[in-house]
Amino acid sequence: MASDGAAGTPGPTTTSAPWVWPQNALAAISLTYDDGNPSQLDATIPELEAAGFRGSFYLHIARGDMQARAAEWRAAQQRGHEMGNHTVRHAGRGEKYMKRDGRLPAWMPFPLERFTPQMIADEVTAAADWLDKNIGPDPDRTFAYPCNDVAIGDPPDEASYAAAIVRHCFAARGGVDPAVNDPRTVKLLRIAAFDGDGNDPAPLIASCKEALACGGWTVLSFHATERVSHQALLAHLRAGRYWVAPVKTVARYVRAVRQGQPGAAAVIPTTAAAPGA
Ligand SMILES: [Zn+2]
Protein backbone atom coordinates (compact mmCIF):
# COMPACT_ATOMS: atom_id res chain seq x y z
CA MET A 1 0.00 0.00 0.00
CA ALA A 2 1.25 3.46 -0.80
CA SER A 3 0.30 4.89 2.56
CA ASP A 4 2.36 7.46 4.33
CA GLY A 5 4.84 5.99 6.77
CA ALA A 6 3.65 2.46 6.17
CA ALA A 7 5.54 1.41 3.06
CA GLY A 8 5.48 -2.33 2.69
CA THR A 9 2.67 -2.81 5.19
CA PRO A 10 0.12 -5.14 3.62
CA GLY A 11 -3.50 -4.11 3.63
CA PRO A 12 -5.25 -0.93 4.62
CA THR A 13 -5.19 0.35 8.15
CA THR A 14 -7.78 -1.16 10.43
CA THR A 15 -8.50 1.94 12.47
CA SER A 16 -11.43 3.01 10.31
CA ALA A 17 -14.46 1.33 8.81
CA PRO A 18 -13.85 -0.96 5.84
CA TRP A 19 -13.52 0.87 2.56
CA VAL A 20 -16.45 0.12 0.25
CA TRP A 21 -16.10 0.16 -3.52
CA PRO A 22 -19.14 0.50 -5.79
CA GLN A 23 -20.84 -2.45 -7.39
CA ASN A 24 -19.88 -4.90 -4.65
CA ALA A 25 -16.28 -4.86 -5.91
CA LEU A 26 -13.30 -5.69 -3.70
CA ALA A 27 -10.82 -3.54 -5.61
CA ALA A 28 -10.69 -0.73 -8.15
CA ILE A 29 -8.65 -0.93 -11.33
CA SER A 30 -7.91 1.90 -13.76
CA LEU A 31 -6.46 1.07 -17.16
CA THR A 32 -4.44 3.96 -18.60
CA TYR A 33 -2.85 4.34 -22.05
CA ASP A 34 -0.36 7.07 -22.86
CA ASP A 35 0.65 9.27 -25.75
CA GLY A 36 -2.21 8.68 -28.20
CA ASN A 37 -0.57 5.87 -30.12
CA PRO A 38 -2.92 5.09 -33.08
CA SER A 39 -2.93 1.41 -32.11
CA GLN A 40 -4.96 2.44 -29.09
CA LEU A 41 -7.76 3.57 -31.41
CA ASP A 42 -7.40 0.61 -33.72
CA ALA A 43 -7.00 -2.23 -31.21
CA THR A 44 -6.99 -1.23 -27.55
CA ILE A 45 -10.32 0.62 -27.44
CA PRO A 46 -12.21 -2.11 -29.34
CA GLU A 47 -10.77 -4.73 -26.95
CA LEU A 48 -11.78 -2.65 -23.92
CA GLU A 49 -15.30 -2.11 -25.22
CA ALA A 50 -15.73 -5.79 -26.06
CA ALA A 51 -15.00 -6.46 -22.38
CA GLY A 52 -17.40 -3.72 -21.26
CA PHE A 53 -14.64 -1.49 -19.87
CA ARG A 54 -13.60 2.11 -20.33
CA GLY A 55 -10.03 3.42 -20.08
CA SER A 56 -8.09 6.63 -19.51
CA PHE A 57 -6.10 7.92 -22.48
CA TYR A 58 -3.45 10.59 -21.93
CA LEU A 59 -2.86 12.15 -25.35
CA HIS A 60 0.45 13.60 -26.52
CA ILE A 61 -1.06 16.49 -28.41
CA ALA A 62 2.04 17.56 -30.37
CA ARG A 63 2.51 14.17 -32.03
CA GLY A 64 2.09 14.31 -35.78
CA ASP A 65 -1.00 12.13 -36.15
CA MET A 66 -3.04 13.59 -33.28
CA GLN A 67 -5.03 16.21 -35.16
CA ALA A 68 -5.85 13.85 -38.02
CA ARG A 69 -7.57 11.40 -35.69
CA ALA A 70 -9.01 13.90 -33.21
CA ALA A 71 -12.56 13.07 -34.27
CA GLU A 72 -12.00 9.43 -33.32
CA TRP A 73 -10.60 10.35 -29.91
CA ARG A 74 -13.57 12.65 -29.45
CA ALA A 75 -15.98 9.85 -30.27
CA ALA A 76 -14.19 7.60 -27.78
CA GLN A 77 -14.69 10.19 -25.04
CA GLN A 78 -18.36 10.32 -25.92
CA ARG A 79 -18.52 6.55 -25.42
CA GLY A 80 -17.21 6.91 -21.86
CA HIS A 81 -13.43 6.79 -22.15
CA GLU A 82 -11.39 9.49 -20.45
CA MET A 83 -9.17 11.74 -22.57
CA GLY A 84 -6.66 13.15 -20.11
CA ASN A 85 -4.19 16.02 -20.08
CA HIS A 86 -0.59 14.91 -20.78
CA THR A 87 0.66 18.38 -21.80
CA VAL A 88 1.26 19.43 -25.41
CA ARG A 89 4.99 18.81 -25.86
CA HIS A 90 5.51 15.94 -23.40
CA ALA A 91 8.59 17.30 -21.72
CA GLY A 92 10.53 15.17 -19.25
CA ARG A 93 13.72 15.68 -17.27
CA GLY A 94 16.56 15.97 -19.77
CA GLU A 95 19.00 14.48 -17.30
CA LYS A 96 17.20 11.14 -17.69
CA TYR A 97 17.28 11.09 -21.47
CA MET A 98 20.51 12.84 -22.42
CA LYS A 99 22.70 10.84 -24.75
CA ARG A 100 26.37 10.17 -24.11
CA ASP A 101 27.35 13.11 -26.28
CA GLY A 102 25.21 15.43 -24.16
CA ARG A 103 22.44 15.85 -26.74
CA LEU A 104 18.76 15.34 -26.03
CA PRO A 105 16.60 12.98 -28.14
CA ALA A 106 14.71 14.58 -31.02
CA TRP A 107 11.34 13.99 -29.37
CA MET A 108 12.32 16.14 -26.39
CA PRO A 109 13.93 19.34 -27.60
CA PHE A 110 12.94 21.25 -24.49
CA PRO A 111 13.44 19.50 -21.13
CA LEU A 112 11.61 20.26 -17.89
CA GLU A 113 14.77 21.70 -16.36
CA ARG A 114 14.31 24.75 -18.59
CA PHE A 115 10.67 25.38 -17.72
CA THR A 116 9.72 28.35 -15.56
CA PRO A 117 6.52 28.30 -13.48
CA GLN A 118 4.79 30.48 -16.11
CA MET A 119 5.90 28.19 -18.94
CA ILE A 120 4.53 25.03 -17.31
CA ALA A 121 1.29 26.85 -16.48
CA ASP A 122 0.98 27.85 -20.15
CA GLU A 123 1.83 24.30 -21.27
CA VAL A 124 -0.86 22.63 -19.16
CA THR A 125 -3.39 25.32 -20.10
CA ALA A 126 -2.64 24.90 -23.81
CA ALA A 127 -3.28 21.16 -23.52
CA ALA A 128 -6.52 21.78 -21.61
CA ASP A 129 -7.67 24.24 -24.28
CA TRP A 130 -6.83 21.84 -27.12
CA LEU A 131 -8.72 19.02 -25.42
CA ASP A 132 -11.76 21.20 -24.76
CA LYS A 133 -11.84 22.38 -28.37
CA ASN A 134 -11.01 19.14 -30.19
CA ILE A 135 -12.20 16.40 -27.85
CA GLY A 136 -14.91 18.20 -25.91
CA PRO A 137 -15.11 19.65 -22.39
CA ASP A 138 -14.73 17.41 -19.35
CA PRO A 139 -14.86 19.10 -15.93
CA ASP A 140 -13.32 15.99 -14.31
CA ARG A 141 -10.41 15.55 -16.71
CA THR A 142 -7.28 14.23 -14.96
CA PHE A 143 -3.57 14.66 -15.69
CA ALA A 144 -0.68 12.25 -16.20
CA TYR A 145 2.89 13.52 -15.75
CA PRO A 146 4.85 12.87 -18.98
CA CYS A 147 7.82 10.57 -18.36
CA ASN A 148 6.62 10.38 -14.73
CA ASP A 149 8.73 13.47 -14.04
CA VAL A 150 7.08 15.72 -11.47
CA ALA A 151 9.38 18.76 -11.25
CA ILE A 152 10.35 21.69 -13.46
CA GLY A 153 13.53 23.75 -13.19
CA ASP A 154 16.90 23.13 -11.64
CA PRO A 155 16.94 22.65 -8.69
CA PRO A 156 13.76 20.60 -9.09
CA ASP A 157 10.54 22.48 -8.31
CA GLU A 158 7.53 20.20 -7.81
CA ALA A 159 5.22 22.83 -6.33
CA SER A 160 5.05 25.00 -9.45
CA TYR A 161 4.24 21.99 -11.64
CA ALA A 162 1.49 20.87 -9.26
CA ALA A 163 0.10 24.42 -9.15
CA ALA A 164 -0.15 24.43 -12.95
CA ILE A 165 -2.04 21.14 -12.90
CA VAL A 166 -4.62 22.02 -10.25
CA ARG A 167 -5.84 24.94 -12.30
CA HIS A 168 -7.32 22.37 -14.68
CA CYS A 169 -7.29 18.91 -13.07
CA PHE A 170 -8.24 17.60 -9.62
CA ALA A 171 -6.21 14.40 -9.91
CA ALA A 172 -2.98 13.29 -11.53
CA ARG A 173 -1.20 10.05 -12.24
CA GLY A 174 2.44 10.49 -11.26
CA GLY A 175 4.93 8.05 -9.92
CA VAL A 176 5.89 4.52 -10.87
CA ASP A 177 5.71 3.01 -7.43
CA PRO A 178 4.24 -0.42 -8.09
CA ALA A 179 2.40 -0.33 -4.77
CA VAL A 180 -1.37 -0.48 -4.77
CA ASN A 181 -2.96 2.87 -3.95
CA ASP A 182 -4.76 2.96 -0.60
CA PRO A 183 -8.02 4.85 -1.22
CA ARG A 184 -7.90 6.31 2.30
CA THR A 185 -4.51 7.92 1.93
CA VAL A 186 -3.60 8.19 -1.76
CA LYS A 187 -2.63 11.70 -2.79
CA LEU A 188 -4.96 12.43 -5.69
CA LEU A 189 -2.32 14.58 -7.37
CA ARG A 190 0.24 11.77 -7.17
CA ILE A 191 -1.59 8.54 -7.96
CA ALA A 192 0.88 5.68 -8.39
CA ALA A 193 0.77 3.44 -11.44
CA PHE A 194 2.19 0.05 -12.34
CA ASP A 195 4.07 -0.18 -15.66
CA GLY A 196 1.92 -2.45 -17.82
CA ASP A 197 4.01 -2.58 -20.99
CA GLY A 198 5.30 -5.94 -22.11
CA ASN A 199 4.03 -9.23 -23.42
CA ASP A 200 3.52 -11.09 -20.16
CA PRO A 201 0.13 -10.79 -18.47
CA ALA A 202 1.35 -12.39 -15.22
CA PRO A 203 2.72 -9.26 -13.52
CA LEU A 204 -0.34 -7.26 -14.58
CA ILE A 205 -2.71 -9.81 -13.13
CA ALA A 206 -0.57 -10.07 -9.99
CA SER A 207 -0.85 -6.32 -9.43
CA CYS A 208 -4.64 -6.54 -9.73
CA LYS A 209 -4.79 -9.48 -7.33
CA GLU A 210 -2.73 -7.45 -4.88
CA ALA A 211 -5.43 -4.77 -4.96
CA LEU A 212 -8.07 -7.44 -4.46
CA ALA A 213 -6.27 -8.75 -1.38
CA CYS A 214 -6.17 -5.38 0.37
CA GLY A 215 -9.17 -3.52 -1.06
CA GLY A 216 -6.97 -1.06 -2.92
CA TRP A 217 -6.77 0.72 -6.26
CA THR A 218 -4.33 -0.43 -8.93
CA VAL A 219 -3.60 1.84 -11.87
CA LEU A 220 -1.95 0.16 -14.87
CA SER A 221 0.00 2.30 -17.34
CA PHE A 222 0.44 1.18 -20.96
CA HIS A 223 1.81 2.66 -24.17
CA ALA A 224 1.16 0.18 -26.98
CA THR A 225 -0.62 -2.92 -25.74
CA GLU A 226 0.33 -6.45 -26.71
CA ARG A 227 -2.86 -8.13 -27.84
CA VAL A 228 -2.39 -11.47 -26.06
CA SER A 229 -1.32 -9.90 -22.79
CA HIS A 230 -4.04 -7.22 -22.86
CA GLN A 231 -6.82 -9.68 -23.59
CA ALA A 232 -5.63 -12.02 -20.83
CA LEU A 233 -5.72 -9.11 -18.40
CA LEU A 234 -9.22 -8.08 -19.48
CA ALA A 235 -10.49 -11.65 -19.13
CA HIS A 236 -9.09 -11.77 -15.59
CA LEU A 237 -10.76 -8.48 -14.70
CA ARG A 238 -14.11 -9.59 -16.11
CA ALA A 239 -14.04 -12.75 -14.01
CA GLY A 240 -13.12 -11.08 -10.72
CA ARG A 241 -14.77 -8.70 -8.26
CA TYR A 242 -13.15 -5.62 -9.73
CA TRP A 243 -14.53 -2.17 -10.34
CA VAL A 244 -12.82 -1.20 -13.60
CA ALA A 245 -13.21 2.51 -14.28
CA PRO A 246 -11.25 5.49 -15.64
CA VAL A 247 -8.93 7.35 -13.29
CA LYS A 248 -11.30 10.32 -13.11
CA THR A 249 -14.22 8.13 -12.07
CA VAL A 250 -12.34 6.31 -9.30
CA ALA A 251 -10.65 9.52 -8.11
CA ARG A 252 -13.99 11.30 -7.96
CA TYR A 253 -15.46 8.45 -5.91
CA VAL A 254 -12.45 8.39 -3.55
CA ARG A 255 -12.72 12.14 -3.04
CA ALA A 256 -16.45 11.98 -2.37
CA VAL A 257 -16.14 9.18 0.19
CA ARG A 258 -13.25 10.90 1.97
CA GLN A 259 -15.29 14.08 2.14
CA GLY A 260 -18.05 12.09 3.79
CA GLN A 261 -20.60 12.64 1.09
CA PRO A 262 -23.35 10.08 1.75
CA GLY A 263 -24.32 9.96 -1.90
CA ALA A 264 -20.84 9.12 -3.11
CA ALA A 265 -22.08 6.17 -5.12
CA ALA A 266 -24.23 8.55 -7.14
CA VAL A 267 -21.12 9.96 -8.80
CA ILE A 268 -20.67 6.70 -10.67
CA PRO A 269 -22.05 6.90 -14.20
CA THR A 270 -24.56 4.24 -15.07
CA THR A 271 -22.46 3.23 -18.07
CA ALA A 272 -19.74 1.80 -15.81
CA ALA A 273 -19.35 -1.90 -16.36
CA ALA A 274 -20.30 -4.12 -13.44
CA PRO A 275 -17.55 -6.39 -12.11
CA GLY A 276 -17.73 -9.73 -13.80
CA ALA A 277 -20.58 -8.57 -16.02
ZN1 LIG B 1 3.69 9.93 -22.19
Side-chain angles (χ1 to χ4, degrees):
M1 289 305 231
S3 55
D4 292 342
T9 304
T13 57
T14 55
T15 52
S16 54
W19 183 269
V20 176
W21 290 114
Q23 301 173 4
N24 205 28
L26 299 177
I29 306 291
S30 294
L31 304 172
T32 74
Y33 307 87
D34 286 13
D35 301 343
N37 187 314
S39 70
Q40 295 167 6
L41 283 170
D42 299 331
T44 306
I45 287 177
E47 289 172 19
L48 282 173
E49 293 183 3
F53 298 146
R54 296 295 183 267
S56 295
F57 294 82
Y58 295 101
L59 306 182
H60 177 192
I61 291 167
R63 65 178 293 144
D65 49 18
M66 183 53 59
Q67 194 70 52
R69 302 196 71 171
E72 293 169 81
W73 292 112
R74 182 185 187 96
Q77 175 172 285
Q78 290 168 347
R79 295 197 302 276
H81 299 279
E82 173 178 20
M83 298 298 140
N85 190 321
H86 200 41
T87 76
V88 175
R89 291 179 289 176
H90 201 287
R93 303 286 298 177
E95 62 206 6
K96 271 170 48 179
Y97 299 98
M98 199 173 285
K99 298 174 183 171
R100 290 184 183 200
D101 61 6
R103 286 185 300 135
L104 289 165
W107 57 268
M108 195 170 58
F110 203 82
L112 281 176
E113 284 92 330
R114 291 190 216 154
F115 274 71
T116 65
Q118 186 61 51
M119 286 162 61
I120 196 65
D122 291 346
E123 177 83 22
V124 177
T125 295
D129 290 347
W130 188 93
L131 290 164
D132 284 350
K133 178 167 175 268
N134 292 274
I135 305 298
D138 180 354
D140 293 322
R141 181 163 277 143
T142 67
F143 185 88
Y145 284 94
C147 308
N148 271 307
D149 290 333
V150 298
I152 62 164
D154 186 16
D157 170 11
E158 296 184 9
S160 295
Y161 202 158
I165 292 166
V166 297
R167 292 175 61 200
H168 300 282
C169 301
F170 78 103
R173 198 202 68 203
V176 288
D177 189 333
V180 178
N181 293 291
D182 184 337
R184 294 173 185 78
T185 57
V186 60
K187 295 181 174 74
L188 290 182
L189 288 167
R190 199 65 76 77
I191 300 164
F194 184 81
D195 181 0
D197 287 337
N199 200 19
D200 179 6
L204 311 181
I205 290 172
S207 70
C208 296
K209 285 182 174 174
E210 193 183 337
L212 214 51
C214 64
W217 175 21
T218 284
V219 179
L220 291 167
S221 168
F222 302 90
H223 288 85
T225 52
E226 303 281 353
R227 185 165 183 270
V228 171
S229 179
H230 194 238
Q231 293 198 334
L233 170 68
L234 299 184
H236 172 77
L237 293 174
R238 277 176 57 85
R241 287 178 64 183
Y242 294 107
W243 179 40
V244 180
V247 172
K248 70 169 189 174
T249 309
V250 178
R252 201 171 47 178
Y253 176 81
V254 165
R255 184 179 61 177
V257 171
R258 295 202 314 210
Q259 290 174 346
Q261 296 175 15
V267 305
I268 308 308
T270 54
T271 52

